[in-house]
Amino acid sequence: MKKVLFASTALIATASVAAAEVKFSGYGRFGISYQEDNSKSYEVTFTNQNTGQTLTTASGATITGVTTTTTTGKATVSDTVEETILVSRFRLNIDGIAETDGGVRFEARVRLQADDTNDGEAGEAGLNGARFSVIYGGLRVDAGNIAGAFDNLANYYGNEPGLENFIGQYSGVDYSFAGYSSTGAGVNGVFFQYAVGDFAFGASYDQGADTWTAPGGVLTKTDGRDRWDISATYTFSNITAAIAYGQTEAAPGGEKETLTVLTLGGEWGDFSGTLFVADDDVSSDALNGTAYGLSAAYNLGAATTLTFAYGDGSADDDTQQYGIGAIYDLGGGASLRGGIGQSKAGDGDSKLRADFGAQFNF
Amino acid sequence: MKKVLFASTALIATASVAAAEVKFSGYGRFGISYQEDNSKSYEVTFTNQNTGQTLTTASGATITGVTTTTTTGKATVSDTVEETILVSRFRLNIDGIAETDGGVRFEARVRLQADDTNDGEAGEAGLNGARFSVIYGGLRVDAGNIAGAFDNLANYYGNEPGLENFIGQYSGVDYSFAGYSSTGAGVNGVFFQYAVGDFAFGASYDQGADTWTAPGGVLTKTDGRDRWDISATYTFSNITAAIAYGQTEAAPGGEKETLTVLTLGGEWGDFSGTLFVADDDVSSDALNGTAYGLSAAYNLGAATTLTFAYGDGSADDDTQQYGIGAIYDLGGGASLRGGIGQSKAGDGDSKLRADFGAQFNF
Amino acid sequence: MKKVLFASTALIATASVAAAEVKFSGYGRFGISYQEDNSKSYEVTFTNQNTGQTLTTASGATITGVTTTTTTGKATVSDTVEETILVSRFRLNIDGIAETDGGVRFEARVRLQADDTNDGEAGEAGLNGARFSVIYGGLRVDAGNIAGAFDNLANYYGNEPGLENFIGQYSGVDYSFAGYSSTGAGVNGVFFQYAVGDFAFGASYDQGADTWTAPGGVLTKTDGRDRWDISATYTFSNITAAIAYGQTEAAPGGEKETLTVLTLGGEWGDFSGTLFVADDDVSSDALNGTAYGLSAAYNLGAATTLTFAYGDGSADDDTQQYGIGAIYDLGGGASLRGGIGQSKAGDGDSKLRADFGAQFNF
């Protein structure tokens, strides 16, 4: 999700501005994925029944081709696709950095990313929305395409098995918090973080965009829903405990939505683990309630790490996930990775997913 | 507009091609803006009344989802939005550079830029059209997404107060000249510049794109309008005087449009100032006539600069602007910036705008 | 097409990951092109006849603008455009690279490219689909937006005269093989290459994407067509011989398509040349049959190279091309380039094309 990689740095020489630089970092990964009952939605464009309509041509215009007139509509079709597909991601972080004489650090980031399209094909690379940061001592303020207090929370994601990190301890959470968007504009919000001694505090705020729709031909405005979250983190010896709370303004005629999360993470030699408990209150009663999970990682010798994660929730339609993974370090920032796991939404069928491939940081 | 920043340079090592390099530079800025009566146009998509239409399914097709058929239309709604919003820009110039054995320098530039959308949200970063340059001694030839003779004219923009440079001495000008486009393809033109001693000359030419439309169902071609401009600049002691003239080919049934600009700029110790006089002849009589303005900057101590600008025009609907700004240098290419000013189009209401934030070069 | 330029490299310093780097390379080119009978297709958007339809406004909504409702259609018009136009390309390869402790090299590439639009205008830069590579000794495996065995075949393209390489010995080939896409997502395939001594072998495979259409209102699925190709190359002294075969799965109710290519290339002092013979079997009988061509290059003194190419085919509608070009090396990776040639499809009119300009690598 928001894991930031700083494997490499372009050296910068500047005559007058000693502290400014542009830094590039990222990773590539590719491999094979198996996804049981894999499916895709297609948008089908069809020609409307007004083909009898004609366009007349202005006299004297030098039109050399055939003119055709079509009015198009859309139909959405959901269809099965290949279960075993080629998966890949290219990620490049572009960071512009400056540091003032007083030691205040400014950063701006845009991410360039290309992904497979989950059906055996891949898409073009795209650019996301920019994030701006001011950092001074233990204080950090982000603006723009931010990650909020949940997305930044210690041990929120825990260990996520698989090349594509497809199993997560947070699977029972149905609240939509402010997260860094790698492929779109993201939110335009503000995030604060302050670290002092063993404590760290975080908070974020973003306004939802107003939208206009015309259901039944009646123009209707829907106000964007404001959203905020706060967090506190405490580290004692080899244990880190973190708690966060967030809420989203009520939609018209609806009620506000909230999420509370508590995480614990620890490390003992070659073993590390996380515990996750949350309570979400969203608009659908079938998704409300407690979510819980855990994850673990174990270093098996010098180069191999085994990972495990389990996530579930008390609500009728919560998603349950569990699975294991392995990472084999090849050195130089490259590794072989794979995982296998089950995912099940409510009383639906359990679906197997597995993947294997290589990831390399640059 | 076309201000070019070269704060940083990626060091390049090449075995066989000593002069080639790829250079990155740019800036980030973010802050808060207040804009009186801020508004936005929304495009609303609505469902057409042909929901009775159905699609039949080819037998044997394994369709697992629901199919819906909609034909969509558009309505445009202008609505007020938040007056106080988060504003931001990320700009990265990507320059590919080569130098021949004879000292001729070739450059190619593409810009990557992300901006806020002026309503509290921000957009994804995008790429613009490429500009190509040949530079040899005092001669420079640009091709592609060029800045023309006006956009390159000394003291055309003068001092523009505010983090977002929202006040300009040129506000009374309504002629559309060839300008470098940071976010779109821009023109595909040619620009020449020649500097010799205290003199410099510039000229540009671009062809408008032909367009096809179908007003009332009749296919109609509109030829692109060719456009050119020329300029001369003379520097004597601490004063720079510049003059430029440009014209745009007449639209069918219309008349040609022209712009003449005269600028003066000077520097006396901590004070610098510009004078601006122009005459534009465009298709709307309510915008024709003289435009005039001035701007100034004053260094108040070591780190603070105050700026001022005023622009107006003699035509009924010309835009009047005036405002002041301040820049506080933080060192390392970073600064705090803000401004406040009024803008008024013709007899319309005067609208207050103010902003404050940080900008940092990299 | 797939010519890769490594003229420059950003130096990378990494504390912990010694082998990782992000590398930038590419070229710029711009100049003038003449193309006889140059034409372009326009998509014209027109307003549908349902302007009588109105939208009602929800009471209390603060709509301040005029609302208009339009349903749009499209007409395609083919029209002549300027024969003499400004042409240009900006290409930047972004390569993320990592090398394992065992010497296995991982690479990921995305290309940023801007091109003219062949009608006197230019477009915005865009990003393509990512390609991932694993390289170890003589073995190379690519995944994603790959170049297949034909696109990688020695001497397939030969010498292509002109700034824009618009004449090719392969002009009689009508089979569509897996090629690296500079501007779109490209295929999502796999390519293998193995070199041992004087021999090299290549093979690629890609799946076509499934598509849904609705001809006559009936939803219809068309399976993607799988495609593969293989090649063998042998170099003896100053001669390289290469052979490749590929086929594409039959479309429903159609037949499979195939291509066989044999190339020979050699170098004798200042002269180099290529021979090209191919047999393509595609769905249209008027394009099937033998294709053949040749190309040559001659170094005329220290800085000038003359190029020549001829391509033709035995089928009725095959394209015949021939032309000559010149390259004048300016040093530092820059050169002046131009070419002139004829192109003729089947019994159509022969069309003259010529260009001249500068290219510089970075």
mmCIF file of all heavy atoms in Angstrom, chain A residues 154-193:
data_model
loop_
_atom_site.group_PDB
_atom_site.id
_atom_site.type_symbol
_atom_site.label_atom_id
_atom_site.label_comp_id
_atom_site.label_asym_id
_atom_site.label_seq_id
_atom_site.Cartn_x
_atom_site.Cartn_y
_atom_site.Cartn_z
ATOM 1 N N ALA A 154 1.119 2.347 12.586
ATOM 2 C CA ALA A 154 2.060 1.240 12.777
ATOM 3 C C ALA A 154 1.295 -0.073 12.832
ATOM 4 O O ALA A 154 0.290 -0.195 13.525
ATOM 5 C CB ALA A 154 2.842 1.453 14.060
ATOM 6 N N ASN A 155 1.739 -1.058 12.077
ATOM 7 C CA ASN A 155 1.184 -2.416 12.097
ATOM 8 C C ASN A 155 -0.264 -2.507 11.618
ATOM 9 O O ASN A 155 -0.925 -3.495 11.876
ATOM 10 C CB ASN A 155 1.315 -3.032 13.488
ATOM 11 C CG ASN A 155 2.766 -3.122 13.914
ATOM 12 O OD1 ASN A 155 3.605 -3.601 13.162
ATOM 13 N ND2 ASN A 155 3.066 -2.624 15.100
ATOM 14 N N TYR A 156 -0.788 -1.468 10.940
ATOM 15 C CA TYR A 156 -2.124 -1.612 10.377
ATOM 16 C C TYR A 156 -2.139 -2.728 9.343
ATOM 17 O O TYR A 156 -3.010 -3.594 9.353
ATOM 18 C CB TYR A 156 -2.601 -0.310 9.738
ATOM 19 C CG TYR A 156 -4.019 -0.417 9.215
ATOM 20 C CD1 TYR A 156 -5.093 -0.045 10.022
ATOM 21 C CD2 TYR A 156 -4.295 -0.936 7.956
ATOM 22 C CE1 TYR A 156 -6.398 -0.183 9.580
ATOM 23 C CE2 TYR A 156 -5.593 -1.080 7.505
ATOM 24 C CZ TYR A 156 -6.634 -0.699 8.319
ATOM 25 O OH TYR A 156 -7.925 -0.840 7.879
ATOM 26 N N TYR A 157 -1.171 -2.713 8.438
ATOM 27 C CA TYR A 157 -1.156 -3.714 7.368
ATOM 28 C C TYR A 157 -0.504 -5.019 7.812
ATOM 29 O O TYR A 157 -0.853 -6.085 7.318
ATOM 30 C CB TYR A 157 -0.460 -3.139 6.126
ATOM 31 C CG TYR A 157 -1.229 -1.969 5.554
ATOM 32 C CD1 TYR A 157 -0.805 -0.666 5.730
ATOM 33 C CD2 TYR A 157 -2.426 -2.186 4.877
ATOM 34 C CE1 TYR A 157 -1.537 0.403 5.241
ATOM 35 C CE2 TYR A 157 -3.166 -1.128 4.377
ATOM 36 C CZ TYR A 157 -2.717 0.168 4.567
ATOM 37 O OH TYR A 157 -3.448 1.207 4.089
ATOM 38 N N GLY A 158 0.443 -4.936 8.773
ATOM 39 C CA GLY A 158 1.115 -6.144 9.227
ATOM 40 C C GLY A 158 1.841 -6.826 8.082
ATOM 41 O O GLY A 158 2.275 -6.188 7.123
ATOM 42 N N ASN A 159 2.001 -8.138 8.182
ATOM 43 C CA ASN A 159 2.613 -8.904 7.100
ATOM 44 C C ASN A 159 1.519 -9.316 6.121
ATOM 45 O O ASN A 159 0.510 -9.883 6.527
ATOM 46 C CB ASN A 159 3.292 -10.150 7.666
ATOM 47 C CG ASN A 159 4.377 -9.787 8.650
ATOM 48 O OD1 ASN A 159 5.451 -9.331 8.285
ATOM 49 N ND2 ASN A 159 4.066 -9.947 9.948
ATOM 50 N N GLU A 160 1.749 -9.047 4.853
ATOM 51 C CA GLU A 160 0.766 -9.385 3.821
ATOM 52 C C GLU A 160 1.389 -10.400 2.878
ATOM 53 O O GLU A 160 2.158 -10.052 1.989
ATOM 54 C CB GLU A 160 0.387 -8.127 3.047
ATOM 55 C CG GLU A 160 -0.300 -7.057 3.889
ATOM 56 C CD GLU A 160 -0.399 -5.737 3.157
ATOM 57 O OE1 GLU A 160 0.640 -5.050 3.062
ATOM 58 O OE2 GLU A 160 -1.492 -5.399 2.668
ATOM 59 N N PRO A 161 1.054 -11.693 3.038
ATOM 60 C CA PRO A 161 1.694 -12.731 2.222
ATOM 61 C C PRO A 161 1.418 -12.550 0.726
ATOM 62 O O PRO A 161 0.389 -11.999 0.334
ATOM 63 C CB PRO A 161 1.055 -14.029 2.736
ATOM 64 C CG PRO A 161 0.608 -13.715 4.117
ATOM 65 C CD PRO A 161 0.195 -12.273 4.065
ATOM 66 N N GLY A 162 2.371 -13.055 -0.071
ATOM 67 C CA GLY A 162 2.195 -13.083 -1.517
ATOM 68 C C GLY A 162 3.001 -12.015 -2.229
ATOM 69 O O GLY A 162 3.304 -10.963 -1.669
ATOM 70 N N LEU A 163 3.329 -12.299 -3.493
ATOM 71 C CA LEU A 163 4.000 -11.298 -4.333
ATOM 72 C C LEU A 163 3.159 -10.042 -4.394
ATOM 73 O O LEU A 163 3.677 -8.926 -4.378
ATOM 74 C CB LEU A 163 4.179 -11.881 -5.753
ATOM 75 C CG LEU A 163 4.732 -10.945 -6.822
ATOM 76 C CD1 LEU A 163 6.196 -10.629 -6.539
ATOM 77 C CD2 LEU A 163 4.585 -11.553 -8.209
ATOM 78 N N GLU A 164 1.833 -10.212 -4.468
ATOM 79 C CA GLU A 164 0.933 -9.067 -4.586
ATOM 80 C C GLU A 164 0.312 -8.681 -3.238
ATOM 81 O O GLU A 164 -0.653 -7.915 -3.222
ATOM 82 C CB GLU A 164 -0.161 -9.371 -5.601
ATOM 83 C CG GLU A 164 0.381 -9.631 -6.991
ATOM 84 C CD GLU A 164 -0.746 -9.648 -7.995
ATOM 85 O OE1 GLU A 164 -1.510 -10.628 -8.007
ATOM 86 O OE2 GLU A 164 -0.875 -8.686 -8.764
ATOM 87 N N ASN A 165 0.810 -9.218 -2.138
ATOM 88 C CA ASN A 165 0.310 -8.885 -0.794
ATOM 89 C C ASN A 165 -1.210 -8.987 -0.736
ATOM 90 O O ASN A 165 -1.886 -8.072 -0.297
ATOM 91 C CB ASN A 165 0.727 -7.461 -0.407
ATOM 92 C CG ASN A 165 2.214 -7.237 -0.556
ATOM 93 O OD1 ASN A 165 3.000 -8.096 -0.201
ATOM 94 N ND2 ASN A 165 2.587 -6.102 -1.100
ATOM 95 N N PHE A 166 -1.734 -10.152 -1.172
ATOM 96 C CA PHE A 166 -3.178 -10.245 -1.360
ATOM 97 C C PHE A 166 -3.951 -10.722 -0.137
ATOM 98 O O PHE A 166 -5.168 -10.848 -0.191
ATOM 99 C CB PHE A 166 -3.499 -11.118 -2.587
ATOM 100 C CG PHE A 166 -2.927 -12.503 -2.530
ATOM 101 C CD1 PHE A 166 -3.598 -13.507 -1.872
ATOM 102 C CD2 PHE A 166 -1.724 -12.786 -3.141
ATOM 103 C CE1 PHE A 166 -3.081 -14.784 -1.824
ATOM 104 C CE2 PHE A 166 -1.191 -14.068 -3.089
ATOM 105 C CZ PHE A 166 -1.865 -15.064 -2.438
ATOM 106 N N ILE A 167 -3.243 -11.042 0.967
ATOM 107 C CA ILE A 167 -3.910 -11.455 2.204
ATOM 108 C C ILE A 167 -3.565 -10.440 3.289
ATOM 109 O O ILE A 167 -2.392 -10.101 3.470
ATOM 110 C CB ILE A 167 -3.424 -12.854 2.649
ATOM 111 C CG1 ILE A 167 -3.745 -13.909 1.585
ATOM 112 C CG2 ILE A 167 -4.014 -13.244 4.007
ATOM 113 C CD1 ILE A 167 -5.202 -14.238 1.432
ATOM 114 N N GLY A 168 -4.578 -9.961 4.013
ATOM 115 C CA GLY A 168 -4.300 -8.945 5.030
ATOM 116 C C GLY A 168 -5.132 -9.144 6.283
ATOM 117 O O GLY A 168 -6.303 -9.521 6.223
ATOM 118 N N GLN A 169 -4.548 -8.834 7.437
ATOM 119 C CA GLN A 169 -5.219 -8.995 8.736
ATOM 120 C C GLN A 169 -6.398 -8.044 8.883
ATOM 121 O O GLN A 169 -7.243 -8.231 9.743
ATOM 122 C CB GLN A 169 -4.218 -8.746 9.863
ATOM 123 C CG GLN A 169 -3.656 -7.339 9.885
ATOM 124 C CD GLN A 169 -2.615 -7.138 10.978
ATOM 125 O OE1 GLN A 169 -2.233 -8.075 11.663
ATOM 126 N NE2 GLN A 169 -2.162 -5.912 11.139
ATOM 127 N N TYR A 170 -6.463 -7.024 8.034
ATOM 128 C CA TYR A 170 -7.482 -5.977 8.100
ATOM 129 C C TYR A 170 -8.691 -6.300 7.221
ATOM 130 O O TYR A 170 -9.509 -5.420 6.957
ATOM 131 C CB TYR A 170 -6.856 -4.662 7.628
ATOM 132 C CG TYR A 170 -6.069 -4.887 6.355
ATOM 133 C CD1 TYR A 170 -6.705 -4.977 5.112
ATOM 134 C CD2 TYR A 170 -4.697 -5.090 6.397
ATOM 135 C CE1 TYR A 170 -5.999 -5.249 3.962
ATOM 136 C CE2 TYR A 170 -3.976 -5.360 5.253
ATOM 137 C CZ TYR A 170 -4.639 -5.430 4.036
ATOM 138 O OH TYR A 170 -3.944 -5.730 2.906
ATOM 139 N N SER A 171 -8.840 -7.535 6.779
ATOM 140 C CA SER A 171 -9.849 -7.849 5.762
ATOM 141 C C SER A 171 -11.276 -7.601 6.241
ATOM 142 O O SER A 171 -12.180 -7.405 5.438
ATOM 143 C CB SER A 171 -9.703 -9.296 5.294
ATOM 144 O OG SER A 171 -9.988 -10.184 6.364
ATOM 145 N N GLY A 172 -11.492 -7.608 7.575
ATOM 146 C CA GLY A 172 -12.846 -7.399 8.084
ATOM 147 C C GLY A 172 -13.260 -5.938 8.176
ATOM 148 O O GLY A 172 -14.395 -5.631 8.549
ATOM 149 N N VAL A 173 -12.356 -5.010 7.842
ATOM 150 C CA VAL A 173 -12.662 -3.575 7.936
ATOM 151 C C VAL A 173 -13.341 -3.099 6.650
ATOM 152 O O VAL A 173 -12.861 -3.372 5.555
ATOM 153 C CB VAL A 173 -11.375 -2.752 8.191
ATOM 154 C CG1 VAL A 173 -11.677 -1.264 8.141
ATOM 155 C CG2 VAL A 173 -10.746 -3.144 9.511
ATOM 156 N N ASP A 174 -14.480 -2.398 6.789
ATOM 157 C CA ASP A 174 -15.219 -1.930 5.621
ATOM 158 C C ASP A 174 -15.326 -0.410 5.556
ATOM 159 O O ASP A 174 -16.011 0.124 4.702
ATOM 160 C CB ASP A 174 -16.624 -2.545 5.637
ATOM 161 C CG ASP A 174 -16.557 -4.053 5.638
ATOM 162 O OD1 ASP A 174 -16.174 -4.630 4.610
ATOM 163 O OD2 ASP A 174 -16.842 -4.657 6.684
ATOM 164 N N TYR A 175 -14.645 0.267 6.455
ATOM 165 C CA TYR A 175 -14.637 1.736 6.476
ATOM 166 C C TYR A 175 -13.613 2.233 5.456
ATOM 167 O O TYR A 175 -12.532 1.669 5.314
ATOM 168 C CB TYR A 175 -14.257 2.193 7.882
ATOM 169 C CG TYR A 175 -14.152 3.682 8.068
ATOM 170 C CD1 TYR A 175 -15.266 4.447 8.375
ATOM 171 C CD2 TYR A 175 -12.927 4.323 7.945
ATOM 172 C CE1 TYR A 175 -15.159 5.813 8.569
ATOM 173 C CE2 TYR A 175 -12.810 5.684 8.135
ATOM 174 C CZ TYR A 175 -13.940 6.432 8.440
ATOM 175 O OH TYR A 175 -13.832 7.774 8.625
ATOM 176 N N SER A 176 -13.957 3.287 4.749
ATOM 177 C CA SER A 176 -13.059 3.831 3.738
ATOM 178 C C SER A 176 -12.315 5.037 4.295
ATOM 179 O O SER A 176 -12.879 6.116 4.430
ATOM 180 C CB SER A 176 -13.871 4.241 2.508
ATOM 181 O OG SER A 176 -13.050 4.917 1.590
ATOM 182 N N PHE A 177 -11.042 4.845 4.655
ATOM 183 C CA PHE A 177 -10.261 5.953 5.223
ATOM 184 C C PHE A 177 -9.406 6.614 4.148
ATOM 185 O O PHE A 177 -9.291 6.112 3.034
ATOM 186 C CB PHE A 177 -9.415 5.475 6.407
ATOM 187 C CG PHE A 177 -8.522 4.306 6.122
ATOM 188 C CD1 PHE A 177 -7.377 4.446 5.354
ATOM 189 C CD2 PHE A 177 -8.833 3.047 6.624
ATOM 190 C CE1 PHE A 177 -6.550 3.373 5.106
ATOM 191 C CE2 PHE A 177 -8.006 1.958 6.372
ATOM 192 C CZ PHE A 177 -6.867 2.125 5.606
ATOM 193 N N ALA A 178 -8.836 7.758 4.501
ATOM 194 C CA ALA A 178 -7.992 8.502 3.563
ATOM 195 C C ALA A 178 -6.694 7.753 3.351
ATOM 196 O O ALA A 178 -5.889 7.620 4.270
ATOM 197 C CB ALA A 178 -7.714 9.906 4.099
ATOM 198 N N GLY A 179 -6.485 7.237 2.152
ATOM 199 C CA GLY A 179 -5.282 6.482 1.833
ATOM 200 C C GLY A 179 -4.550 7.111 0.663
ATOM 201 O O GLY A 179 -5.174 7.733 -0.203
ATOM 202 N N TYR A 180 -3.239 6.947 0.643
ATOM 203 C CA TYR A 180 -2.441 7.440 -0.480
ATOM 204 C C TYR A 180 -2.853 6.694 -1.735
ATOM 205 O O TYR A 180 -2.923 5.470 -1.751
ATOM 206 C CB TYR A 180 -0.959 7.211 -0.182
ATOM 207 C CG TYR A 180 -0.042 7.735 -1.246
ATOM 208 C CD1 TYR A 180 0.166 9.096 -1.401
ATOM 209 C CD2 TYR A 180 0.629 6.871 -2.102
ATOM 210 C CE1 TYR A 180 1.011 9.590 -2.367
ATOM 211 C CE2 TYR A 180 1.480 7.360 -3.081
ATOM 212 C CZ TYR A 180 1.668 8.719 -3.215
ATOM 213 O OH TYR A 180 2.506 9.206 -4.182
ATOM 214 N N SER A 181 -3.137 7.420 -2.810
ATOM 215 C CA SER A 181 -3.546 6.788 -4.058
ATOM 216 C C SER A 181 -2.371 6.729 -5.024
ATOM 217 O O SER A 181 -1.811 7.757 -5.389
ATOM 218 C CB SER A 181 -4.698 7.574 -4.682
ATOM 219 O OG SER A 181 -4.992 7.060 -5.957
ATOM 220 N N SER A 182 -1.993 5.503 -5.427
ATOM 221 C CA SER A 182 -0.837 5.340 -6.319
ATOM 222 C C SER A 182 -1.181 5.596 -7.772
ATOM 223 O O SER A 182 -0.293 5.807 -8.592
ATOM 224 C CB SER A 182 -0.291 3.908 -6.208
ATOM 225 O OG SER A 182 0.318 3.719 -4.969
ATOM 226 N N THR A 183 -2.463 5.551 -8.114
ATOM 227 C CA THR A 183 -2.801 5.609 -9.537
ATOM 228 C C THR A 183 -3.792 6.710 -9.882
ATOM 229 O O THR A 183 -4.004 6.982 -11.055
ATOM 230 C CB THR A 183 -3.400 4.258 -9.993
ATOM 231 O OG1 THR A 183 -4.464 3.924 -9.104
ATOM 232 C CG2 THR A 183 -2.360 3.168 -9.972
ATOM 233 N N GLY A 184 -4.390 7.357 -8.921
ATOM 234 C CA GLY A 184 -5.335 8.423 -9.219
ATOM 235 C C GLY A 184 -4.939 9.703 -8.520
ATOM 236 O O GLY A 184 -3.842 9.816 -7.970
ATOM 237 N N ALA A 185 -5.850 10.683 -8.533
ATOM 238 C CA ALA A 185 -5.542 11.962 -7.903
ATOM 239 C C ALA A 185 -5.481 11.829 -6.383
ATOM 240 O O ALA A 185 -4.758 12.556 -5.715
ATOM 241 C CB ALA A 185 -6.593 12.999 -8.297
ATOM 242 N N GLY A 186 -6.226 10.891 -5.827
ATOM 243 C CA GLY A 186 -6.277 10.752 -4.378
ATOM 244 C C GLY A 186 -7.078 11.869 -3.745
ATOM 245 O O GLY A 186 -7.679 12.700 -4.427
ATOM 246 N N VAL A 187 -7.114 11.889 -2.410
ATOM 247 C CA VAL A 187 -7.778 12.976 -1.709
ATOM 248 C C VAL A 187 -6.907 14.221 -1.809
ATOM 249 O O VAL A 187 -5.755 14.158 -2.203
ATOM 250 C CB VAL A 187 -7.998 12.624 -0.229
ATOM 251 C CG1 VAL A 187 -8.790 11.348 -0.094
ATOM 252 C CG2 VAL A 187 -6.672 12.493 0.508
ATOM 253 N N ASN A 188 -7.468 15.385 -1.482
ATOM 254 C CA ASN A 188 -6.670 16.595 -1.319
ATOM 255 C C ASN A 188 -6.823 17.015 0.133
ATOM 256 O O ASN A 188 -7.676 17.832 0.467
ATOM 257 C CB ASN A 188 -7.147 17.689 -2.285
ATOM 258 C CG ASN A 188 -6.147 18.818 -2.410
ATOM 259 O OD1 ASN A 188 -4.946 18.599 -2.316
ATOM 260 N ND2 ASN A 188 -6.645 20.024 -2.627
ATOM 261 N N GLY A 189 -6.018 16.400 0.990
ATOM 262 C CA GLY A 189 -6.175 16.588 2.423
ATOM 263 C C GLY A 189 -4.902 17.042 3.095
ATOM 264 O O GLY A 189 -3.928 17.426 2.451
ATOM 265 N N VAL A 190 -4.934 17.010 4.427
ATOM 266 C CA VAL A 190 -3.791 17.419 5.244
ATOM 267 C C VAL A 190 -3.556 16.347 6.296
ATOM 268 O O VAL A 190 -4.509 15.809 6.871
ATOM 269 C CB VAL A 190 -4.066 18.772 5.937
ATOM 270 C CG1 VAL A 190 -2.868 19.202 6.752
ATOM 271 C CG2 VAL A 190 -4.399 19.847 4.919
ATOM 272 N N PHE A 191 -2.290 16.009 6.530
ATOM 273 C CA PHE A 191 -1.934 15.015 7.542
ATOM 274 C C PHE A 191 -0.835 15.586 8.432
ATOM 275 O O PHE A 191 0.126 16.169 7.935
ATOM 276 C CB PHE A 191 -1.443 13.735 6.866
ATOM 277 C CG PHE A 191 -0.813 12.747 7.807
ATOM 278 C CD1 PHE A 191 -1.575 12.049 8.731
ATOM 279 C CD2 PHE A 191 0.556 12.506 7.779
ATOM 280 C CE1 PHE A 191 -0.991 11.143 9.610
ATOM 281 C CE2 PHE A 191 1.148 11.601 8.645
ATOM 282 C CZ PHE A 191 0.365 10.910 9.559
ATOM 283 N N PHE A 192 -1.006 15.440 9.754
ATOM 284 C CA PHE A 192 -0.010 15.887 10.720
ATOM 285 C C PHE A 192 0.551 14.678 11.454
ATOM 286 O O PHE A 192 -0.206 13.772 11.800
ATOM 287 C CB PHE A 192 -0.633 16.813 11.774
ATOM 288 C CG PHE A 192 -1.209 18.066 11.230
ATOM 289 C CD1 PHE A 192 -2.518 18.097 10.781
ATOM 290 C CD2 PHE A 192 -0.446 19.218 11.147
ATOM 291 C CE1 PHE A 192 -3.063 19.258 10.268
ATOM 292 C CE2 PHE A 192 -0.986 20.387 10.626
ATOM 293 C CZ PHE A 192 -2.299 20.411 10.184
ATOM 294 N N GLN A 193 1.849 14.709 11.732
ATOM 295 C CA GLN A 193 2.446 13.653 12.529
ATOM 296 C C GLN A 193 3.472 14.294 13.462
ATOM 297 O O GLN A 193 4.249 15.155 13.032
ATOM 298 C CB GLN A 193 3.140 12.636 11.621
ATOM 299 C CG GLN A 193 3.529 11.364 12.323
ATOM 300 C CD GLN A 193 4.026 10.326 11.335
ATOM 301 O OE1 GLN A 193 4.920 10.604 10.549
ATOM 302 N NE2 GLN A 193 3.432 9.155 11.348
#
